[in-house]
Amino acid sequence: MSKMATKGWSTEEKVALVLSVLRGELSMSEASRRHGVSDQTLLAWRDRFLKGGEAALGGKGPDAQVKALENENKQLKEALAEMALRVEVLKKLRHLG
């Protein structure tokens, strides 16, 4: 799992590294040094990991996010359809006048 840059790290590798730190198997500095990741990067991964878990346990996980995005998508499609209809009506009014 040794990488010199943060690019190229799979989600699974990030999770495994974060979990090794959270379990106390490696200290933050040891994990950073051993795997060639900055302390700041590893801290950011840990924070995002914990935030995701918090959201999932609080009912704001992927399912809730997907539903919110689907709802927003539906509203945007309706607004677009309404605007397209208005454009068509204005075009017809110009041709009549």
Side-chain angles (χ1 to χ4, degrees):
M1 188 180 354
S2 182
K3 305 268 185 187
M4 289 311 292
T6 58
K7 289 187 177 191
W9 281 86
S10 70
T11 301
E12 293 79 16
E13 290 172 321
K14 291 176 186 178
V15 168
L17 188 53
V18 167
L19 285 175
S20 70
V21 170
L22 291 175
R23 288 183 191 125
E25 298 167 355
L26 295 171
S27 69
M28 186 72 68
S29 60
E30 183 181 9
S32 298
R33 185 178 61 254
R34 190 180 288 184
H35 296 285
V37 177
S38 73
D39 287 349
Q40 287 182 331
T41 297
L42 190 51
L43 282 169
W45 291 351
R46 184 203 62 190
D47 292 347
R48 286 190 306 217
F49 179 85
L50 294 173
K51 189 174 193 96
E54 180 181 310
L57 292 174
K60 298 177 185 171
D63 289 342
Q65 292 171 344
V66 167
K67 285 202 179 289
L69 289 172
E70 286 173 344
N71 187 42
E72 182 181 4
N73 189 25
K74 179 182 174 190
Q75 291 174 350
L76 290 170
K77 284 180 179 179
E78 289 171 356
L80 180 61
E82 184 179 327
M83 295 306 292
L85 183 60
R86 287 182 183 185
V87 167
E88 289 302 315
V89 168
L90 288 173
K91 284 181 183 177
K92 288 183 180 180
L93 287 175
R94 277 193 175 176
H95 284 85
L96 293 176

